[in-house]
Amino acid sequence: MIIQAIGLLDDLDKELNTYAMRVREWYGWHFPELGKIIQDNILYAKSLKAMGDRANAVNLDFSGILSEEVEAELKEAAIISMGTDISDQDMQTIKALCDQVISLSEYRAQLSEYLRSRMNAIAPNLTVLVGELVGARLIAHAGSLINLAKQPGSTVQILGAEKALFRALKTKHATPKYGLIFNASLVGQAAPKLKGKISRSLAAKTALSIRYDALGEAQDAAIGFASRAKLENRLRQLEGRMLGKLSGSVKGKGKIEPYDSNRKQGTPGLVTAAKTYNPAADVVGVSFPKGDSEMKEKKRKRKEPAGEATEEGKAGVKVEAEEAVEQPKKKKKKSTRSSI
């Protein structure tokens, strides 16, 4: 039932989008300014059905459909509109299409509520973690809840991005970090640099929740709520580290001075305390002991003969090395060993 419902929901979204765009283009010949004033497709169709010809907009009350500001803007635009006139027959055809858009939107809302109730009954922990729409798409992609429960967390993470995965493996590029799980609220509220880490953690907790929903005896969402709280805490920690790195601290925690109530208004607050000159650290009138210069002179005199001796020793070593080179090298006798 969940697979069929999510499939029909996606088809309804496509049809609604197509019909709404057709209504906008068709009615745009008569009142082109209305498309810029009202962005929502359903409100556009309801306003069109209530108004009909743009000349009727001045005497109508749109309080149940639009806000006061939008209503006033609509009435002003209807007076100075540059659209062409339209016949009654064409207007009836456009209103019939508006009825289709409104009825499809109402049916879509009923189907969405049905899907939410079925997901809460069959997979409550999965619904708490990723939402009913993403959870239903994961189940539909795997074929059933049992098949999805057999998948590891790494597969759940990239489920829905198989084409990108195989292309990356073939071309030896980086593999995708997320698939259908990208539409979950936890991944959506994370920073772009943290989406990969959060999707990996979310996929691991999602795999655990799916197995509990498919194979567990109890039908409560305790594991889902606990896992979501841990993931939200993890997201806050990662964002804190990221802010710490941006602030320039070494360990990832920004150094922020406490609030000073005595500070005057308009004076900018300092993130770090200003350095002041310390006169006590100056070195004035330092006297060195008298014996230091004499000790240095004695050490210098002691090192000089040692340096000369070393030079003579080096020269002697060089002479001996040259004599050793001139003597012919004696051939070494090969030692013969008797084999036992």
Side-chain angles (χ1 to χ4, degrees):
M1 298 299 127
I2 289 174
I3 295 173
Q4 298 297 328
I6 191 63
L8 180 57
L9 200 64
D10 292 338
D11 293 340
L12 280 176
D13 288 336
K14 293 178 183 178
E15 294 297 326
L16 266 174
N17 198 18
T18 305
Y19 285 3
M21 294 304 298
R22 181 63 60 190
V23 167
R24 284 177 177 272
E25 291 179 4
W26 204 343
Y27 193 71
W29 291 100
H30 178 62
F31 193 4
E33 293 82 4
L34 185 62
K36 296 179 180 179
I37 296 171
I38 304 175
Q39 301 294 331
D40 187 73
N41 293 330
I42 308 304
L43 293 180
Y44 185 94
K46 290 181 178 179
S47 302
L48 192 159
K49 184 181 177 182
M51 178 174 53
D53 197 321
R54 66 170 184 265
N56 303 327
V58 181
N59 301 323
L60 290 176
D61 183 17
F62 296 93
S63 59
I65 304 172
L66 304 173
S67 61
E68 294 180 0
E69 298 177 357
V70 178
E71 182 181 357
E73 188 178 358
L74 187 150
K75 290 181 178 180
E76 291 177 2
I79 298 173
I80 59 172
S81 178
M82 299 178 65
T84 60
D85 294 333
I86 193 169
S87 63
D88 295 338
Q89 186 178 1
D90 295 335
M91 184 58 66
Q92 292 297 328
T93 309
I94 295 173
K95 283 186 176 181
L97 184 56
C98 287
D99 293 336
Q100 293 290 328
V101 172
I102 295 171
S103 62
L104 281 177
S105 64
E106 293 174 355
Y107 176 62
R108 187 199 177 282
Q110 295 176 4
L111 187 64
S112 180
E113 186 64 30
Y114 165 76
L115 180 63
R116 183 180 294 108
S117 63
R118 295 304 300 163
M119 283 294 296
N120 286 325
I122 293 174
N125 295 283
L126 178 62
T127 306
V128 168
L129 274 177
V130 298
E132 62 273 358
L133 292 178
V134 179
R137 287 192 176 95
L138 288 173
I139 294 173
H141 197 82
S144 66
L145 186 62
I146 297 295
N147 290 342
L148 187 61
K150 295 176 183 178
Q151 306 294 336
S154 58
T155 303
V156 174
Q157 181 182 354
I158 59 170
L159 206 64
E162 289 85 359
K163 188 182 290 185
L165 173 65
F166 292 129
R167 183 173 61 248
L169 292 175
K170 186 177 180 180
T171 57
K172 296 182 180 179
H173 284 77
T175 55
K177 296 180 181 178
Y178 26 67
L180 291 170
I181 208 170
F182 178 78
N183 298 316
S185 60
L186 282 170
V187 180
Q189 67 189 5
K193 291 184 178 180
L194 303 177
K195 287 185 185 294
K197 292 182 179 180
I198 291 298
S199 63
R200 183 170 62 250
S201 303
L202 179 60
K205 296 295 184 183
T206 302
L208 180 64
S209 301
I210 292 166
R211 290 165 193 166
Y212 184 79
D213 290 333
L215 307 172
E217 296 179 357
Q219 291 294 328
D220 56 346
I223 291 181
F225 284 113
S227 300
R228 189 176 181 87
K230 290 180 181 178
L231 288 170
E232 289 176 352
N233 189 21
R234 168 74 172 160
L235 179 59
R236 285 194 294 269
Q237 288 178 356
L238 291 174
E239 288 177 348
R241 290 180 189 174
M242 195 171 175
L243 290 174
K245 289 179 181 178
L246 292 175
S247 65
S249 66
V250 179
K251 295 183 179 180
K253 295 181 180 178
K255 296 180 181 178
I256 301 174
E257 293 295 321
Y259 174 72
D260 186 7
S261 59
N262 297 325
R263 185 166 58 84
K264 296 180 181 180
Q265 269 189 338
T267 306
L270 298 176
V271 177
T272 55
K275 293 183 179 180
T276 57
Y277 179 71
N278 185 14
D282 290 346
V283 180
V284 181
V286 178
S287 61
F288 294 96
K290 296 180 180 179
D292 287 353
S293 59
E294 297 176 359
M295 292 294 292
K296 290 179 181 179
E297 186 68 22
K298 287 181 181 180
K299 287 181 180 180
R300 188 177 62 79
K301 289 180 179 179
R302 286 177 185 174
K303 288 180 180 179
E304 284 178 357
E308 294 173 359
T310 52
E311 289 177 359
E312 293 175 358
K314 289 179 181 178
V317 171
K318 287 181 181 179
V319 172
E320 291 178 359
E322 290 175 358
E323 291 177 356
V325 170
E326 291 177 358
Q327 293 178 0
K329 295 180 181 180
K330 295 180 180 180
K331 295 182 179 180
K332 294 181 180 181
K333 296 180 180 181
K334 295 181 180 180
S335 61
T336 58
R337 295 181 181 180
S338 59
S339 59
I340 300 171

